[in-house]
Each structure stands twice: as structure tokens, then as C-alpha cells.
Amino acid sequence: MKRAGVLFLAVVPVVATVVYFVLPSGAADAPAAPAPAGTQSSRDDAKDRAEQDHEQQRDKDDEIIASLPPGLAAPDKEELAHRLVSSAEHSTTDWRSTYGMIEDRDDDCGYTAGIIGFCTGTHDLLTLVEHYTGSHPGNGLARYLPALRKVDGTDSHEGLDPGFTDAWKAESELPEFRAAQEEERDRVYFEPAVRLAKLDGLGTLGQFVYYDAMVFHGTGTDESGFYALRERVLRKAKTPAAGGSEKAYLDAFLDVRRATMLTRYPDRDTSRVDTAQRRFLQAGNLALDTPLTWEMYGDSYTSS
């Protein structure tokens, strides 16, 4: 499923895009290789200037975000977004019924689990359990952390079977773990998607389009990840913030996204694009107004 700044994104590499929009402040500071004598000071100065520029840019973008309508971050729209994603991930709009869901979907991502489809093979499930264990040591999933680290990036169940699925279901009965799932979903997917979409000049529908794409494609830097996908779109259409048409940009985004989905999974149903988001766009529903009707994998859904 997934692999783990509009003001300047069109001209920066994908990795820089990810660092700016996804990683917390300071998280991108990896240890540098030892510098030859006499150059360390200049490198430190350059690093300090880059950090200052980064903080200044974030401050400017924060001001832009604060001046905009809540869009998808409004409580009713956020609830709608989670219902839409759940219809694609779990074939139900009742996303609160899916905390304990866990299965292997034979998609090379290992076990898929929880409200947003955290995966043992794509790093986000590992990160969730690590964060949860940090605040709730001794929980029922903590003993699987060594195995989760070992299988990360693979579809292997080594060290997880036979007990991990039962442990996940049991832990998902606890309010603390349910809250942890929601927090990780929002931190990794929802909040970065809404922020970037707003900076790109997109309305509520466009913000949802980004959110669903991040959930499916992930926030990694591989060629099928969200940020690489967006870079390909920018070569075809301008964002509204850059003077482009919102509908034309979203059309291009959905075209590229659909092609990316089919490149990776040639037999994958693309309902979440074709009979949901594309239909909303064709109807001109850029505000994602309700009532909404959409189809997913042949099933019809309505949200009022």
C-alpha cells in the first residue's frame, strides 16, 4: 500500500520536499561525514543558514495556513474524510469499527492493520508501536518490536506469527491504543496532506485528494510514493497557488495517481479514484459538500 511548501516545491528535489513537510524540526539532521580540516566552520555556518531559512519559510507558511478557511480540518469535513478513506481501506464508512482489523492482503506489505491500514512492511506500523510503547511500556505489542524491526520493508511474518494478530486485536480494545492510532494517522498522513494542499492553493476536495493519496502511496521517497507522484504532476500542471486551474491540476493529479497505482498493482481496482474522487471533481464539488454518493469496489455509499 504505502512506502514509508508550494512556495518552492516545484524546484526542489523530492527528498527535500519530504524533509520540509513531513519530518519534525531537527529530524533531518543526520550525522555528516567528517570534513577536511578548515572546512567544518563553513559547513556549520551553511547548516545554520539553512536551518534559519527553513524556520523562516515555515513561519511564513504558518501565516498562510492561519489565514485560510479550515477546509478538510473542519470537524465535519475531517470526519467525512475518514469515512471516505475507510470505505476504500476497509469497505465500511464506520472507521471506528476498524481499530482491531488486521490481515495480510497479499500486496507485499505484510500485515495491514488498524484504522488507516498501518503495515508491518512499510514502517508506519512499526513507528506506531514504538511511539505507543514509549508512552505505554509493557503493552501487549511491545514484545513484538524486535520482530517488527526485522520485517520492516518486507512482507515477512517472521517472529510475528502466531500471536501478533491476536495481540493487535486485544490491544485495540484499549482506549489508549485507539487514541494512539488516531494520533499517528493524523501526524503522518492527515495533517501533512491538508497543510501541503492548502499551500498548493487547493480547496477541501483537493485536500482530501492529497490525504487519500498519502494513505495509499505513503510518504516515502520511492518512485510510487506521494511526493514523487506530486513532482510528476507538477511537470504537467500548475497548482492553483502557482496560477493554475484547480480543476485542471486535480485532473492531472488523478491521472498520474491512477497510472501510478496500476504500474505498481496492474490488477488493482482504482475505485477510490474513478468512482469517488473523479466523480466529485467532475461534479464541480471542490468544497466536498454533502450529501455525497460514491462507489467503492462495486458497493455504493452515501454520506449526508
Side-chain angles (χ1 to χ4, degrees):
M1 180 185 305
K2 43 188 170 286
R3 300 295 178 198
V6 72
L7 302 180
F8 58 89
L9 280 181
V11 295
V12 296
V14 173
V15 173
T17 302
V18 175
V19 168
Y20 178 77
F21 281 102
V22 177
L23 297 182
S25 178
D29 296 338
T39 65
Q40 188 62 50
S41 177
S42 60
R43 291 189 179 186
D44 289 344
D45 289 344
K47 179 180 177 182
D48 289 342
R49 288 194 298 272
E51 289 177 348
Q52 290 173 3
D53 291 345
H54 171 84
E55 292 302 322
Q56 290 173 0
Q57 185 65 60
R58 287 198 69 90
D59 289 344
K60 291 178 182 178
D61 290 348
D62 287 344
E63 291 178 5
I64 294 173
I65 297 295
S67 72
L68 296 173
L72 202 67
D76 60 331
K77 296 302 184 185
E78 181 173 353
E79 175 66 19
L80 175 61
H82 298 330
R83 289 168 64 84
L84 285 163
V85 169
S86 185
S87 72
E89 291 291 316
H90 304 304
S91 296
T92 177
T93 57
D94 182 11
W95 64 267
R96 292 178 178 83
S97 70
T98 66
Y99 295 101
M101 186 285 302
I102 182 166
E103 61 183 344
D104 190 321
R105 296 176 174 175
D106 195 27
D107 56 2
D108 299 325
C109 294
Y111 281 122
T112 296
I115 57 173
I116 206 67
F118 302 103
C119 297
T120 56
T122 62
H123 196 65
D124 56 352
L125 190 147
L126 169 61
T127 302
L128 166 63
V129 177
E130 286 179 334
H131 287 172
Y132 179 61
T133 300
S135 56
H136 297 82
N139 69 78
L141 298 173
R143 67 181 182 275
Y144 291 100
L145 277 172
L148 288 171
R149 294 184 181 112
K150 186 173 182 178
V151 303
D152 190 26
T154 78
D155 61 358
S156 173
H157 295 180
E158 184 178 355
L160 299 177
D161 293 339
F164 181 71
T165 55
D166 287 341
W168 179 277
K169 293 174 184 177
E171 202 69 24
S172 293
E173 294 295 321
L174 301 179
E176 297 84 359
F177 188 52
R178 294 186 174 198
Q181 288 193 40
E182 293 181 33
E183 180 179 349
E184 199 70 7
R185 171 199 63 196
D186 294 346
R187 183 186 72 84
V188 176
Y189 300 111
F190 186 78
E191 292 169 2
V194 172
R195 178 182 177 85
L196 177 53
K198 286 183 175 182
L199 292 172
D200 276 351
L202 299 174
T204 306
L205 173 59
Q207 293 162 32
F208 173 72
V209 167
Y210 273 23
Y211 174 43
D212 187 68
M214 279 198 186
V215 169
F216 185 90
H217 296 275
T219 57
T221 58
D222 62 295
E223 63 181 11
S224 64
F226 171 85
Y227 291 99
L229 185 158
R230 179 179 170 280
E231 290 292 322
R232 291 196 291 276
V233 178
L234 290 174
R235 293 195 287 268
K236 296 176 177 290
K238 292 182 179 180
T239 66
S245 157
E246 184 170 11
K247 185 179 185 302
Y249 176 78
L250 289 176
D251 258 329
F253 189 96
L254 294 178
D255 286 345
V256 172
R257 184 183 173 193
R258 188 178 190 276
T260 302
M261 292 172 70
L262 292 175
T263 297
R264 184 171 178 190
Y265 300 114
D267 299 324
R268 176 64 62 92
D269 186 305
T270 55
S271 294
R272 62 203 300 160
V273 171
D274 302 334
T275 53
Q277 295 168 44
R278 183 80 74 179
R279 287 188 180 177
F280 305 154
L281 181 60
Q282 290 172 342
N285 192 356
L286 297 176
L288 206 61
D289 290 328
T290 54
L292 282 180
T293 299
W294 69 98
E295 293 179 15
M296 199 68 65
Y297 317 131
D299 296 327
S300 294
Y301 299 90
T302 299
S303 185
S304 58

